[in-house]
Amino acid sequence: MDQQSRIIDLESRLSFQEQTIHTLSDQVVALQHQLKVLQNSFELLVNKLQQVDENGEIIDEPPPHY
């Protein structure tokens, strides 16, 4: 394998790796967004569960200004 073909092979590999890194980066960003949405949903669910008593009824607490 001569030097020219080695350089072409290395450039091809580099190009493929750059494309793969870009794709993986996009996937990480999408997963971060999805995780944020899931965390918010989980927090809402926990808050709702904290407002339910043992019988499954919503606990009515008076507003803090009473």
Side-chain angles (χ1 to χ4, degrees), residues 23-61:
T23 301
L24 290 173
S25 178
D26 289 345
Q27 289 177 345
V28 167
V29 169
L31 287 172
Q32 285 175 329
H33 174 71
Q34 185 179 13
L35 180 60
K36 180 101 174 154
V37 169
L38 290 171
Q39 285 174 329
N40 290 339
S41 297
F42 181 74
E43 288 176 13
L44 288 172
L45 181 60
V46 167
N47 289 337
K48 294 237 181 231
L49 285 173
Q50 290 173 344
Q51 296 174 1
V52 175
D53 65 8
E54 297 167 354
N55 299 324
E57 296 178 17
I58 295 177
I59 301 169
D60 272 335
E61 294 183 13

